[in-house]
Amino acid sequence: MDKLLKKLTTLLGSRKSSPSKPKPRLHLIGIFHTVHSDDHSHCAFTGKALRFPKMMQMQGYTVIEYSNEGSESTADEKHVMLTQEELFSMISKKKDEEFYGNDAVVGSDHHRLFEERLYPALVNNLRPGDIICHPFGIAHASYVSMFPSHSHVETGIGYPDVVNGTFKIFESYAKLHYWHGKDDVIHGLNYNFVIPNYYDLDQWEPNYGKGKYIAFMLGYRDWETDRKSTRLNSSHLKLSRMPSSA
């Protein structure tokens, strides 16, 4: 295990940007019909957008977010597209864990206003080499052609249609192969990846008691911290991780 960790650390270290060439900044286009907060995180795409900045900051990236007011993410910069008053004047505010998917309508009033403000915000903040991230790619597909000099990444495809001209990250191999079959991709494509839904383990306290619980959950943590902790010890890999209230 120690030898493997040493090799991985060496590999990751060799791929770090040199001081003269910093890593590109990541511009995260937020979910236009929700708020990046725990109250809305039962929406899978909102949950991933909420956790994305922290995960990428652990790898040394700067994340600039364009989202609705009330975001609880750790993004380095946040640019508000819609205030909560504006958003909830155009859609109904849901109770508890009610479904927000019916409000994810491209061309709706809240979508048009979001896009109207998104374009100048990107123009004012993008630098050469920056990457534009699309957690809900199909909602802002036109931005790939609007900003052709920048790389575009769909960060967690779980929807049926993808955007032409993007690097693609799927939430499961089932989704990747569905898309390959749907679009007659025979030999696969370079730079298509699978990253399962990710969780912040700081929000999941181990539960040592009996009961119905998840035996293992994939999450993200700081590599250097975990390398020295018992969380990577083989005797701890199967601890359940559930909220302390479970």
Side-chain angles (χ1 to χ4, degrees):
M1 176 66 78
D2 289 339
K3 289 183 179 179
L4 176 60
L5 289 174
K6 186 175 181 180
K7 288 182 179 180
L8 287 172
T9 303
T10 302
L11 175 62
L12 290 170
S14 67
R15 299 178 67 177
K16 291 181 179 178
S17 300
S18 64
S20 61
K21 188 177 181 182
K23 288 187 175 183
R25 302 184 308 163
L26 307 180
H27 296 257
L28 180 69
I29 300 178
I31 309 302
F32 71 90
H33 61 286
T34 67
V35 177
H36 293 186
S37 67
D38 282 340
D39 287 345
H40 296 79
S41 64
H42 56 281
C43 165
F45 299 109
T46 302
K48 284 186 283 188
L50 171 63
R51 295 183 287 268
F52 180 84
K54 182 177 180 180
M55 181 175 66
M56 300 311 296
Q57 286 164 333
M58 289 178 174
Q59 305 305 317
Y61 288 93
T62 296
V63 181
I64 302 169
E65 179 181 288
Y66 306 82
S67 59
N68 295 327
E69 181 187 31
S71 170
E72 297 172 359
S73 82
T74 63
D76 297 277
E77 294 181 25
K78 297 178 185 178
H79 298 273
V80 173
M81 299 294 100
L82 302 178
T83 66
Q84 291 199 33
E85 182 179 359
E86 289 173 325
L87 177 63
F88 295 117
S89 70
M90 291 181 273
I91 67 173
S92 61
K93 194 166 186 177
K94 309 298 188 291
K95 296 179 180 179
D96 299 325
E97 297 183 358
E98 286 186 272
F99 186 54
Y100 273 89
N102 293 332
D103 297 317
V105 180
V106 173
S108 60
D109 289 342
H110 54 289
H111 176 262
R112 286 199 298 268
L113 185 56
F114 189 104
E115 289 224 312
E116 180 182 312
R117 293 172 179 173
L118 175 62
Y119 180 80
L122 285 171
V123 169
N124 290 333
N125 289 286
L126 281 169
R127 298 175 184 170
D130 284 357
I131 296 172
I132 301 176
C133 301
H134 300 251
F136 197 41
I138 53 176
H140 307 285
S142 60
Y143 279 71
V144 176
S145 58
M146 288 181 184
F147 297 94
S149 61
H150 293 273
S151 294
H152 294 257
V153 180
E154 290 182 81
T155 59
I157 299 171
Y159 35 83
D161 298 305
V162 297
V163 179
N164 290 330
T166 64
F167 296 104
K168 296 170 176 61
I169 298 174
F170 296 83
E171 66 179 18
S172 69
Y173 282 99
K175 284 293 183 183
L176 181 146
H177 293 305
Y178 163 83
W179 177 69
H180 280 184
K182 179 174 174 288
D183 283 30
D184 294 324
V185 178
I186 298 174
H187 300 295
L189 298 172
N190 292 331
Y191 307 114
N192 284 345
F193 302 94
V194 172
I195 299 178
N197 281 344
Y198 38 86
Y199 299 89
D200 186 350
L201 294 188
D202 288 335
Q203 297 179 337
W204 297 79
E205 293 297 328
N207 181 357
Y208 299 96
K210 294 181 179 180
K212 296 180 179 179
Y213 53 84
I214 299 173
F216 178 79
M217 179 174 289
L218 179 65
Y220 61 80
R221 290 189 62 83
D222 183 84
W223 176 267
E224 286 300 317
T225 298
D226 271 9
R227 187 173 65 86
K228 302 172 184 177
S229 75
T230 57
R231 290 179 186 268
L232 285 184
N233 187 294
S234 60
S235 65
H236 288 71
L237 286 178
K238 294 186 179 180
L239 287 179
S240 65
R241 296 199 176 277
M242 292 294 287
S244 57
S245 60

